[in-house]
Amino acid sequence: MGTAISIETRSPVDLDRVFAWLRHVDATFSTFRPDSAISRGDHSDPDVGQVLARCAELRDETQGAFDGDPMGYVKGWAAERAARMIDADCYVNAGGDVRVKGRWRVGIQHPLERGKTAAVLELRDAGVATSGTYERGSHIRGARPDILSVTVVGPDLGTADAYATAAFIRGPEWTPQLRGYEAMTILEDGTVLETRGFADLRIP
């Protein structure tokens, strides 16, 4: 998947099965591995079919702003599945995208100042994904140049990740339409725009 995944739990848990499954995901979906199922065009694995179907749905939901690339969805999907496999409160961090089970505080990186948070959220059983130019530069084709970062919070991390990517193209005018998900957009002039429910997640 091209990213490191770390897991913290509040009680002792055997994570071998979880990490074995994550290695399977990498072996199946990594575009950096010529022997992976996705690189070979092998769609016989049920997980591949599930991911491709959801990517197609998200492309339609976002009117093409999320282009349906599985690599833009798999990281969040894998972290979501990993959290659901763990029978304990947990904090799963997949390259900065986070899925929590139980109640946790999650810091959102400031897009301009390393080491500073743009917001600290208190979440319960939720995922939070951030797309930002500070991560990989302007890596989203068609991204609005006035947007520095978009953070999306909701019940499914893979979906939140896809929505965060799409919002870079469709803008903060689109995010209030997301059902069950809240968003924060930071513009290049420092303006912070939030959906109505996002403020309720903030820790003052």
Side-chain angles (χ1 to χ4, degrees), residues 53-79:
R54 182 60 181 143
C55 286
E57 291 174 353
L58 287 165
R59 183 175 59 243
D60 290 344
E61 285 182 36
T62 63
Q63 298 180 348
F66 174 75
D67 65 5
D69 180 4
M71 293 309 296
Y73 173 75
V74 164
K75 179 179 70 169
W77 169 82

mmCIF file of all heavy atoms in Angstrom, residues 53-79:
data_model
loop_
_atom_site.group_PDB
_atom_site.id
_atom_site.type_symbol
_atom_site.label_atom_id
_atom_site.label_comp_id
_atom_site.label_asym_id
_atom_site.label_seq_id
_atom_site.Cartn_x
_atom_site.Cartn_y
_atom_site.Cartn_z
ATOM 1 N N ALA A 53 -15.565 -2.475 -6.801
ATOM 2 C CA ALA A 53 -16.980 -2.091 -6.818
ATOM 3 C C ALA A 53 -17.209 -0.828 -6.001
ATOM 4 O O ALA A 53 -17.950 0.070 -6.422
ATOM 5 C CB ALA A 53 -17.836 -3.237 -6.282
ATOM 6 N N ARG A 54 -16.582 -0.753 -4.827
ATOM 7 C CA ARG A 54 -16.762 0.447 -3.993
ATOM 8 C C ARG A 54 -16.126 1.671 -4.648
ATOM 9 O O ARG A 54 -16.693 2.772 -4.575
ATOM 10 C CB ARG A 54 -16.169 0.208 -2.603
ATOM 11 C CG ARG A 54 -16.356 1.378 -1.639
ATOM 12 C CD ARG A 54 -17.813 1.697 -1.417
ATOM 13 N NE ARG A 54 -18.010 2.818 -0.515
ATOM 14 C CZ ARG A 54 -18.964 3.728 -0.666
ATOM 15 N NH1 ARG A 54 -19.827 3.649 -1.670
ATOM 16 N NH2 ARG A 54 -19.080 4.713 0.198
ATOM 17 N N CYS A 55 -14.983 1.491 -5.300
ATOM 18 C CA CYS A 55 -14.364 2.613 -5.993
ATOM 19 C C CYS A 55 -15.264 3.144 -7.098
ATOM 20 O O CYS A 55 -15.369 4.361 -7.302
ATOM 21 C CB CYS A 55 -13.008 2.192 -6.567
ATOM 22 S SG CYS A 55 -11.701 2.019 -5.341
ATOM 23 N N ALA A 56 -15.929 2.244 -7.811
ATOM 24 C CA ALA A 56 -16.857 2.672 -8.855
ATOM 25 C C ALA A 56 -18.032 3.443 -8.259
ATOM 26 O O ALA A 56 -18.473 4.465 -8.817
ATOM 27 C CB ALA A 56 -17.354 1.455 -9.630
ATOM 28 N N GLU A 57 -18.547 2.970 -7.110
ATOM 29 C CA GLU A 57 -19.632 3.693 -6.437
ATOM 30 C C GLU A 57 -19.192 5.087 -6.020
ATOM 31 O O GLU A 57 -19.938 6.064 -6.195
ATOM 32 C CB GLU A 57 -20.082 2.915 -5.208
ATOM 33 C CG GLU A 57 -20.798 1.613 -5.503
ATOM 34 C CD GLU A 57 -21.092 0.806 -4.252
ATOM 35 O OE1 GLU A 57 -20.623 1.198 -3.151
ATOM 36 O OE2 GLU A 57 -21.784 -0.217 -4.360
ATOM 37 N N LEU A 58 -17.992 5.193 -5.469
ATOM 38 C CA LEU A 58 -17.499 6.489 -5.003
ATOM 39 C C LEU A 58 -17.230 7.430 -6.176
ATOM 40 O O LEU A 58 -17.439 8.644 -6.058
ATOM 41 C CB LEU A 58 -16.226 6.289 -4.178
ATOM 42 C CG LEU A 58 -16.466 5.689 -2.791
ATOM 43 C CD1 LEU A 58 -15.153 5.170 -2.186
ATOM 44 C CD2 LEU A 58 -17.093 6.718 -1.857
ATOM 45 N N ARG A 59 -16.778 6.897 -7.290
ATOM 46 C CA ARG A 59 -16.608 7.736 -8.473
ATOM 47 C C ARG A 59 -17.939 8.338 -8.891
ATOM 48 O O ARG A 59 -18.036 9.524 -9.223
ATOM 49 C CB ARG A 59 -16.002 6.904 -9.612
ATOM 50 C CG ARG A 59 -15.726 7.727 -10.877
ATOM 51 C CD ARG A 59 -15.016 6.909 -11.948
ATOM 52 N NE ARG A 59 -15.800 5.742 -12.326
ATOM 53 C CZ ARG A 59 -15.406 4.484 -12.145
ATOM 54 N NH1 ARG A 59 -14.230 4.236 -11.584
ATOM 55 N NH2 ARG A 59 -16.180 3.473 -12.517
ATOM 56 N N ASP A 60 -19.007 7.523 -8.845
ATOM 57 C CA ASP A 60 -20.330 8.034 -9.205
ATOM 58 C C ASP A 60 -20.833 9.038 -8.169
ATOM 59 O O ASP A 60 -21.398 10.084 -8.521
ATOM 60 C CB ASP A 60 -21.317 6.874 -9.326
ATOM 61 C CG ASP A 60 -21.044 5.990 -10.536
ATOM 62 O OD1 ASP A 60 -20.301 6.434 -11.439
ATOM 63 O OD2 ASP A 60 -21.548 4.854 -10.564
ATOM 64 N N GLU A 61 -20.655 8.718 -6.884
ATOM 65 C CA GLU A 61 -21.122 9.608 -5.813
ATOM 66 C C GLU A 61 -20.489 10.991 -5.904
ATOM 67 O O GLU A 61 -21.135 12.003 -5.606
ATOM 68 C CB GLU A 61 -20.786 9.013 -4.446
ATOM 69 C CG GLU A 61 -21.660 7.859 -4.004
ATOM 70 C CD GLU A 61 -21.259 7.382 -2.625
ATOM 71 O OE1 GLU A 61 -20.881 8.224 -1.785
ATOM 72 O OE2 GLU A 61 -21.309 6.161 -2.380
ATOM 73 N N THR A 62 -19.214 11.024 -6.292
ATOM 74 C CA THR A 62 -18.474 12.292 -6.328
ATOM 75 C C THR A 62 -18.457 12.911 -7.714
ATOM 76 O O THR A 62 -17.754 13.892 -7.948
ATOM 77 C CB THR A 62 -17.024 12.075 -5.858
ATOM 78 O OG1 THR A 62 -16.358 11.178 -6.769
ATOM 79 C CG2 THR A 62 -16.971 11.500 -4.450
ATOM 80 N N GLN A 63 -19.235 12.344 -8.634
ATOM 81 C CA GLN A 63 -19.310 12.827 -10.016
ATOM 82 C C GLN A 63 -17.927 12.891 -10.648
ATOM 83 O O GLN A 63 -17.588 13.832 -11.364
ATOM 84 C CB GLN A 63 -20.016 14.181 -10.077
ATOM 85 C CG GLN A 63 -21.462 14.114 -9.599
ATOM 86 C CD GLN A 63 -22.175 15.443 -9.662
ATOM 87 O OE1 GLN A 63 -21.559 16.487 -9.864
ATOM 88 N NE2 GLN A 63 -23.484 15.423 -9.495
ATOM 89 N N GLY A 64 -17.132 11.855 -10.366
ATOM 90 C CA GLY A 64 -15.819 11.716 -10.980
ATOM 91 C C GLY A 64 -14.691 12.434 -10.277
ATOM 92 O O GLY A 64 -13.529 12.321 -10.681
ATOM 93 N N ALA A 65 -14.983 13.181 -9.211
ATOM 94 C CA ALA A 65 -13.913 13.883 -8.498
ATOM 95 C C ALA A 65 -12.963 12.882 -7.837
ATOM 96 O O ALA A 65 -11.748 13.109 -7.771
ATOM 97 C CB ALA A 65 -14.499 14.828 -7.461
ATOM 98 N N PHE A 66 -13.522 11.787 -7.311
ATOM 99 C CA PHE A 66 -12.689 10.645 -6.942
ATOM 100 C C PHE A 66 -12.655 9.753 -8.176
ATOM 101 O O PHE A 66 -13.692 9.283 -8.638
ATOM 102 C CB PHE A 66 -13.278 9.889 -5.749
ATOM 103 C CG PHE A 66 -12.536 8.619 -5.420
ATOM 104 C CD1 PHE A 66 -11.315 8.679 -4.789
ATOM 105 C CD2 PHE A 66 -13.053 7.385 -5.758
ATOM 106 C CE1 PHE A 66 -10.607 7.523 -4.497
ATOM 107 C CE2 PHE A 66 -12.371 6.213 -5.474
ATOM 108 C CZ PHE A 66 -11.133 6.288 -4.839
ATOM 109 N N ASP A 67 -11.451 9.529 -8.716
ATOM 110 C CA ASP A 67 -11.361 8.920 -10.048
ATOM 111 C C ASP A 67 -11.469 7.403 -10.052
ATOM 112 O O ASP A 67 -11.336 6.768 -11.106
ATOM 113 C CB ASP A 67 -10.074 9.354 -10.750
ATOM 114 C CG ASP A 67 -8.811 8.854 -10.050
ATOM 115 O OD1 ASP A 67 -8.928 8.088 -9.068
ATOM 116 O OD2 ASP A 67 -7.709 9.222 -10.494
ATOM 117 N N GLY A 68 -11.715 6.805 -8.895
ATOM 118 C CA GLY A 68 -11.895 5.357 -8.852
ATOM 119 C C GLY A 68 -10.618 4.572 -8.757
ATOM 120 O O GLY A 68 -10.621 3.341 -8.834
ATOM 121 N N ASP A 69 -9.457 5.264 -8.587
ATOM 122 C CA ASP A 69 -8.162 4.573 -8.429
ATOM 123 C C ASP A 69 -8.154 3.794 -7.107
ATOM 124 O O ASP A 69 -8.272 4.401 -6.038
ATOM 125 C CB ASP A 69 -7.053 5.617 -8.438
ATOM 126 C CG ASP A 69 -5.693 4.997 -8.272
ATOM 127 O OD1 ASP A 69 -5.592 3.755 -8.222
ATOM 128 O OD2 ASP A 69 -4.728 5.764 -8.169
ATOM 129 N N PRO A 70 -8.013 2.459 -7.148
ATOM 130 C CA PRO A 70 -8.024 1.686 -5.894
ATOM 131 C C PRO A 70 -6.979 2.143 -4.879
ATOM 132 O O PRO A 70 -7.216 2.059 -3.671
ATOM 133 C CB PRO A 70 -7.750 0.248 -6.366
ATOM 134 C CG PRO A 70 -8.241 0.207 -7.766
ATOM 135 C CD PRO A 70 -7.955 1.562 -8.317
ATOM 136 N N MET A 71 -5.837 2.648 -5.344
ATOM 137 C CA MET A 71 -4.808 3.072 -4.400
ATOM 138 C C MET A 71 -5.244 4.291 -3.600
ATOM 139 O O MET A 71 -4.682 4.580 -2.552
ATOM 140 C CB MET A 71 -3.490 3.356 -5.134
ATOM 141 C CG MET A 71 -2.849 2.101 -5.725
ATOM 142 S SD MET A 71 -2.696 0.750 -4.517
ATOM 143 C CE MET A 71 -1.567 1.475 -3.341
ATOM 144 N N GLY A 72 -6.237 5.028 -4.093
ATOM 145 C CA GLY A 72 -6.768 6.149 -3.339
ATOM 146 C C GLY A 72 -7.800 5.736 -2.309
ATOM 147 O O GLY A 72 -8.298 6.570 -1.552
ATOM 148 N N TYR A 73 -8.117 4.442 -2.288
ATOM 149 C CA TYR A 73 -9.139 3.931 -1.380
ATOM 150 C C TYR A 73 -8.621 2.825 -0.462
ATOM 151 O O TYR A 73 -9.042 2.709 0.690
ATOM 152 C CB TYR A 73 -10.315 3.401 -2.204
ATOM 153 C CG TYR A 73 -11.383 2.692 -1.421
ATOM 154 C CD1 TYR A 73 -12.286 3.410 -0.632
ATOM 155 C CD2 TYR A 73 -11.512 1.302 -1.460
ATOM 156 C CE1 TYR A 73 -13.275 2.765 0.094
ATOM 157 C CE2 TYR A 73 -12.506 0.651 -0.743
ATOM 158 C CZ TYR A 73 -13.373 1.384 0.034
ATOM 159 O OH TYR A 73 -14.353 0.748 0.749
ATOM 160 N N VAL A 74 -7.677 2.026 -0.960
ATOM 161 C CA VAL A 74 -7.262 0.807 -0.255
ATOM 162 C C VAL A 74 -6.672 1.098 1.120
ATOM 163 O O VAL A 74 -6.929 0.355 2.080
ATOM 164 C CB VAL A 74 -6.272 0.000 -1.118
ATOM 165 C CG1 VAL A 74 -5.542 -1.043 -0.291
ATOM 166 C CG2 VAL A 74 -7.005 -0.670 -2.258
ATOM 167 N N LYS A 75 -5.883 2.156 1.255
ATOM 168 C CA LYS A 75 -5.249 2.445 2.553
ATOM 169 C C LYS A 75 -6.301 2.620 3.641
ATOM 170 O O LYS A 75 -6.217 1.993 4.709
ATOM 171 C CB LYS A 75 -4.368 3.698 2.452
ATOM 172 C CG LYS A 75 -3.697 4.068 3.773
ATOM 173 C CD LYS A 75 -2.813 5.297 3.608
ATOM 174 C CE LYS A 75 -3.594 6.551 3.375
ATOM 175 N NZ LYS A 75 -2.763 7.782 3.470
ATOM 176 N N GLY A 76 -7.296 3.455 3.387
ATOM 177 C CA GLY A 76 -8.347 3.668 4.370
ATOM 178 C C GLY A 76 -9.193 2.436 4.588
ATOM 179 O O GLY A 76 -9.581 2.108 5.715
ATOM 180 N N TRP A 77 -9.497 1.726 3.493
ATOM 181 C CA TRP A 77 -10.279 0.488 3.581
ATOM 182 C C TRP A 77 -9.560 -0.547 4.438
ATOM 183 O O TRP A 77 -10.169 -1.204 5.276
ATOM 184 C CB TRP A 77 -10.519 -0.037 2.168
ATOM 185 C CG TRP A 77 -11.077 -1.421 2.082
ATOM 186 C CD1 TRP A 77 -12.390 -1.794 2.215
ATOM 187 C CD2 TRP A 77 -10.353 -2.619 1.811
ATOM 188 N NE1 TRP A 77 -12.521 -3.159 2.039
ATOM 189 C CE2 TRP A 77 -11.282 -3.684 1.792
ATOM 190 C CE3 TRP A 77 -9.004 -2.898 1.572
ATOM 191 C CZ2 TRP A 77 -10.913 -5.009 1.551
ATOM 192 C CZ3 TRP A 77 -8.626 -4.213 1.335
ATOM 193 C CH2 TRP A 77 -9.568 -5.245 1.326
ATOM 194 N N ALA A 78 -8.251 -0.689 4.241
ATOM 195 C CA ALA A 78 -7.475 -1.674 4.993
ATOM 196 C C ALA A 78 -7.421 -1.325 6.473
ATOM 197 O O ALA A 78 -7.565 -2.202 7.340
ATOM 198 C CB ALA A 78 -6.064 -1.767 4.424
ATOM 199 N N ALA A 79 -7.227 -0.046 6.791
ATOM 200 C CA ALA A 79 -7.194 0.371 8.197
ATOM 201 C C ALA A 79 -8.551 0.183 8.853
ATOM 202 O O ALA A 79 -8.644 -0.207 10.026
ATOM 203 C CB ALA A 79 -6.740 1.831 8.303
#
